[in-house]
């Protein structure tokens, strides 16, 4: 690979890649990340074998991509330039796809996406796709994440080159501030203000950290971004590092994400050999080095001070703030921590400008948000929509509604720190503030749909069990508060609850919320409070019926 | 997250330290920040963290054994006991939970006679829960070693377990 020495080299390199591009080649984009679980690799191999057998190399090219979003149809593939989408393909379908679809342009009905009995062969017509706005996910599912050239062909690293050659640190931060970008890791803190704080702290060593711990059960957005477009995250980190004056970065990835780690390793290697990471990048006096840190299985390590402790090789226990990481982070040095999706938003802000970015979204929340849509919904998968989209649009228009003859009951947002949004709020435009008002949080983007057969008390119990198990035990309110609340919830789901239990729960919730050391304890009671707020009748029914519902404790959560 | 730890001094077979020393040799000059990566590599090499490897780490990194145990017992990934040949990770995340993960867990216990966190007597399987594998669209899901099995039913689970 060529080593880029000056910023101009990047655009020249891109031109040389464009010259090699052959528009007449049919390209088959197949997801080999999430879809691996349902045989995508075997299908891909079958295509490659067939291409060799029929000597079609040069005419047909396989592109192994990250998540294409419509995971429910896994393994999925898109055929370009035809624009055809196929799902649930197997090895045996391969010869037919080549002979009929690619060579004759015919559509194979059984592989098409269908909705309300109608087959929809073309990507552009599938509501799941046409109703989304892909900014962060624009490359995810349409490039090979293991090939930096494909990222560069999509204007990759151009934003960074622009920043490096024509912008001061202050200007970069102003641009981010003006864009209105807020952290996607849960709390929605303005990214520009965070960067500015770290920039202003004196110190020759500063760290730039990407939080890819994604421990929130039911969330897989960060996994998809890291697997499907790792360079976007690296480029975002580079721009941030330049702005705050950092030379060293870490990406902290959850232990359960082996493919993300694999793709990140490749991406970092390739960026290094092209000269986009390392010393004196593109001939400037800016240097930046990036390492991967693998988590070891602890949810609380997603909390920033715990994450710092974990990077330092310690037990991942949070500590009180202040001092904030901005002044005292890794090894006591100024440290900036952002979420994966936050970083992935950065390049496009510089490519298209903060004014363009700002025009998307609502008054208080700009840009788009990626949601991991799961649970009792037809189209489970990954969706990106502008802030301000309603829950109804996400669940029904994009998600295709509730399977079977069941009804929508609630969506759980923000995982164990969040709450449920019931049917009466389906038309609520989703942004950081509105979601909070109704008692949930935006969180990282997990959105679990529940139908009318789901027991909300059981869901509250489930989340409390999770928090209790993941509580690091350092502070008493969280350690004991979660345990006691779990005891009560378990009692209620077993049909052994009493009338007083609800009051007791609320009281415990309040104490745990106000007295806990970190976000884990402070938010652990949210699912309880939100289910009491909207589904008090379910609690009361269980308490009144005493014993008759005892089977709901472990099984079945969703009655058949 | 919190594991009951029994530190058995006697009766625990000491393992051959060749692999352990090779790993430590790759990390000369390692600081405490390298402890977790070193433990991860150790566990990859031995399948768990044998007592005598920890003693080697203590000596070579000059980190007290108590600190090392502190780290090991904090993170659910680490194991101080020998593990089965195959690791079954059953997702207990939200999406899997509402789609029937509790039934899958029951089935595993029924077929293998072990509970979460345990290893079968013949060291064939270790069974552990994990909160979300990030493949919620396949719910309910389990992973055996590096392989995912999605859209599980109790019958399918039994069939899969018996195929190993
Ligand atoms: C218990 C707990 C778990 C968290 N887990 C994550 C996580 O997995 N990923 C993440 O980006 N932020 C997580 N956070 C939030 C981080 O502490 C931090 O606010 C975030 O990484 C900042 O990035 P942002 O400003 O880009 O959102 C967690 C917070 C708490 C309290
Ligand atoms: S909840 Fe099971 S894979 Fe996410």
């Amino acid at each position: 690979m060529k080593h880029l020495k000056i910023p101009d080299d990047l655009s020249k390199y891109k031109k040389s890649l464009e010259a090699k591009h052959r528009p007449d080649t049919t390209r088959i984009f197949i997801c080999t990340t999430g879809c691996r679980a349902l045989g995508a690799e075997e299908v891909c191999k079958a295509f490659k074998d067939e291409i060799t057998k029929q000597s079609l190399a040069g005419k047909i090219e396989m592109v192994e991509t990250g998540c294409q979003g419509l995971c429910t149809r896994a393994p999925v593939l898109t055929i370009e330039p035809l624009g055809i989408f196929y799902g649930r393909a197997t090895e045996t379908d391969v010869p037919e796809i080549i002979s009929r679809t690619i060579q004759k342009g015919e559509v194979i009905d059984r592989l098409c996406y269908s909705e309300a009995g109608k087959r929809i062969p073309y990507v552009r017509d599938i509501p799941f796709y046409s109703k989304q706005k892909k900014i962060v996910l624009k490359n995810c599912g349409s490039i090979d994440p293991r090939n930096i050239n494909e990222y560069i062909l999509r204007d990759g690293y151009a934003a960074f080159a622009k920043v490096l050659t024509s912008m001061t640190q202050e200007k970069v931060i102003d641009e981010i501030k003006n864009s209105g970008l807020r952290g996607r890791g849960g709390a929605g803190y303005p990214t520009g203000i965070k960067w500015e704080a770290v920039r202003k702290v004196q110190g020759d060593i500063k760290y730039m950290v990407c939080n890819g711990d994604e421990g929130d059960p039911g969330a897989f957005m960060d996994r998809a971004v890291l697997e499907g477009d790792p360079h976007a995250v690296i480029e975002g980190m580079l721009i941030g590092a330049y702005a705050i004056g950092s030379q060293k970065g870490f990406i902290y990835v959850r232990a359960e994400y082996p493919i993300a780690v694999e793709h990140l390793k490749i991406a970092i290697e390739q960026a290094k050999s092209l000269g986009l990471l390392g010393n004196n990048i593109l001939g400037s006096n800016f240097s930046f080095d990036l390492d991967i840190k693998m988590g070891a299985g602890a949810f609380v390590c997603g909390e920033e001070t715990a994450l710092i402790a974990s990077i330092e090789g310690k037990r991942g226990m949070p500590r009180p703030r202040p001092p904030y990481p901005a002044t005292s982070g890794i090894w006591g040095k100024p440290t900036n921590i952002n979420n994966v999706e936050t970083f992935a938003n950065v390049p496009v802000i510089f490519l298209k400008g903060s004014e363009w970015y700002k025009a998307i979204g609502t008054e208080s929340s700009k840009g788009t948000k990626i949601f991991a849509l799961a649970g009792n919904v037809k189209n489970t998968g990954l969706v990106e929509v502008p802030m301000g989209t309603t829950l109804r649009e996400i669940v029904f228009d994009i998600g295709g509604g509730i399977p079977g003859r069941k009804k929508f009951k609630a969506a759980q947002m923000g995982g164990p720190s969040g709450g449920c949004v019931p049917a009466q709020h389906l038309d609520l435009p989703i942004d950081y503030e509105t979601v909070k008002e109704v008692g949930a949080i935006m969180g990282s983007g997990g959105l679990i749909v529940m139908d009318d057969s789901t027991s909300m008390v059981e869901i509250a119990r489930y989340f409390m069990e999770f928090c209790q198990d993941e509580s690091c035990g350092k502070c008493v309110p969280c350690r004991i508060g979660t345990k006691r609340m779990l005891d009560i919830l378990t009692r209620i789901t077993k049909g052994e609850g009493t009338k007083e239990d609800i009051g007791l729960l609320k009281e415990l919730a309040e104490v745990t919320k106000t007295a806990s050391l970190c976000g884990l304890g402070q938010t652990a009671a949210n699912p309880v409070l939100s289910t009491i707020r909207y589904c008090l009748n379910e609690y009361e029914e269980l308490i009144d019926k005493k014993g008759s519902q005892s089977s709901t404790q472990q099984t079945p959560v969703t009655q058949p | 997250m919190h594991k009951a730890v029994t530190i058995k001094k006697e009766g625990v077979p000491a393992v051959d330290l060749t692999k352990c020393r090779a790993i430590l040799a790759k990390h000369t000059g390692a600081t405490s920040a390298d402890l977790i990566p070193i433990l991860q590599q150790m566990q990859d090499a031995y399948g768990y963290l044998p007592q005598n490897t920890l003693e080697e780490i203590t000596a070579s990194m000059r980190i007290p054994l108590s600190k090392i145990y502190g780290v090991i017992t904090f993170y659910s990934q680490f194991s101080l006991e020998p593990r089965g040949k195959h690791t079954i990770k059953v997702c207990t995340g939200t999406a899997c939970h509402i789609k029937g993960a509790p039934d899958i867990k029951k089935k595993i216990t029924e077929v293998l006679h072990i509970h979460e966190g345990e290893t079968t007597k013949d060291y064939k399987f270790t069974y552990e829960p994990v909160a979300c594998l990030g493949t919620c669209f396949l719910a309910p899901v389990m992973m055996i070693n590096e392989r995912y099995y999605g859209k599980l039913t109790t019958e399918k689970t039994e069939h899969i377990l018996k195929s190993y």
Side-chain angles (χ1 to χ4, degrees), chain A residues 412 415-420 439-440 456-465 467 481-482 484-490 492 501-510 512-513 521 523-536 539:
Chain A
Q412 159 72 30
S417 322
C420 63
M456 298 313 280
V457 186
E458 164 55 25
I459 290 299
R461 192 204 62 80
Y462 163 77
F463 279 121
M464 192 54 71
E465 186 178 25
C467 289
T482 54
R484 287 296 154 252
M485 284 190 278
L486 177 61
D487 286 348
I488 299 174
L489 288 164
T490 308
I492 298 176
D501 278 344
I502 294 173
L504 209 53
L505 267 179
K506 284 193 194 159
E507 195 183 326
L508 273 167
E510 208 49 51
T512 314
K513 197 171 182 162
T523 58
N526 286 357
V528 179
L529 291 174
S530 127
T531 46
I532 291 183
R533 176 169 165 188
Y534 293 113
C535 311
L536 183 62
Y539 281 85

Side-chain angles (χ1 to χ4, degrees), chain A residues 217-220 448, chain B residues 91-97 131-137 139-141:
Chain A
F220 50 91
I448 316 258
Chain B
C91 178
T92 57
T94 327
C96 290
H97 187 74
C132 193
L133 287 165
T135 49
C136 315
F137 50 92
V141 199

Side-chain angles (χ1 to χ4, degrees), chain A residues 213 252-256 294-301 310 469-470, chain B residues 1-3 36 40 71-78 89 130:
Chain A
D213 199 40
Y252 190 93
V253 191
R254 206 177 156 220
E256 282 82 14
M294 261 172 34
F299 170 70
V300 73
C301 284
S310 182
D469 197 40
E470 293 294 343
Chain B
M1 178 181 297
H2 303 283
K3 282 168 283 186
I36 294 174
Q40 282 168 332
V71 169
I72 293 170
T73 52
F74 184 83
Y75 296 99
S76 61
Q77 189 188 34
F78 297 126
K89 289 187 180 172
V130 49

Side-chain angles (χ1 to χ4, degrees), chain A residues 86-309:
Chain A
Y86 283 154
R88 305 211 177 126
T90 62
E91 291 138 275
T92 47
D93 295 318
V94 167
E96 193 182 343
I97 295 175
I98 293 184
S99 65
R100 282 186 56 202
T101 305
I102 295 175
Q103 290 170 336
K104 293 196 198 122
E106 293 170 14
V107 167
I108 304 171
D109 280 350
R110 66 172 190 280
L111 299 172
C112 291
Y113 174 83
S114 68
E115 206 172 285
K118 218 177 83 209
R119 309 210 170 279
I120 314 179
Y122 297 100
V123 181
R124 59 169 188 271
D125 301 327
I126 300 176
F128 177 85
Y129 287 112
S130 58
K131 299 240 157 114
Q132 293 190 50
K133 185 168 182 75
K134 296 205 177 193
I135 295 176
V136 176
L137 293 178
K138 66 177 191 299
N139 294 331
C140 197
S142 60
I143 64 169
D144 182 347
R146 296 166 306 178
N147 183 350
I148 193 172
N149 291 347
E150 297 208 11
Y151 182 68
I152 290 175
L153 274 168
R154 299 280 184 97
D155 294 322
Y157 291 105
F160 168 63
K162 179 174 157 191
V163 163
L164 195 63
T165 48
S166 66
M167 293 175 86
T168 60
Q169 291 180 318
E170 290 83 354
K171 246 180 117 182
V172 174
I173 288 171
D174 282 345
E175 190 75 0
I176 290 288
K177 273 172 138 176
N178 187 49
S179 74
L181 176 64
R182 296 170 66 175
R184 303 290 194 246
Y189 191 78
T191 307
I193 296 180
K194 195 185 263 187
W195 289 10
E196 186 168 51
V198 188
R199 189 189 75 78
K200 284 190 174 154
V201 179
Q202 295 295 323
D204 39 342
I205 299 175
K206 291 181 186 175
Y207 294 106
M208 193 66 175
V209 180
C210 173
N211 188 345
D213 199 40
E214 194 165 63
D216 182 354
F220 50 91
M221 308 76 45
D222 295 349
R223 163 191 158 120
V225 173
L226 289 173
E227 287 176 355
D229 198 10
H231 286 288
V233 179
I234 297 175
E235 187 177 1
M237 289 186 79
L238 273 166
I239 295 171
Y242 172 81
I244 65 165
S246 160
Q247 287 112 36
K248 175 83 198 171
F250 295 104
I251 305 186
Y252 190 93
V253 191
R254 206 177 156 220
E256 282 82 14
Y257 288 177
I259 306 176
V261 172
E262 177 192 319
H263 287 189
L264 272 173
K265 276 191 186 148
I266 298 171
I268 292 175
E269 260 331 295
Q270 295 184 344
K272 269 189 188 152
S273 58
L274 260 185
L276 292 163
L277 279 173
N279 289 330
N280 300 96
I281 300 173
L282 298 178
S284 70
N285 53 17
F286 172 66
S287 303
F288 187 65
D289 178 44
L290 193 53
D291 270 340
I292 301 173
K293 284 273 174 186
M294 261 172 34
F299 170 70
V300 73
C301 284
E303 195 279 338
E304 53 189 28
T305 60
L307 188 143
I308 289 169

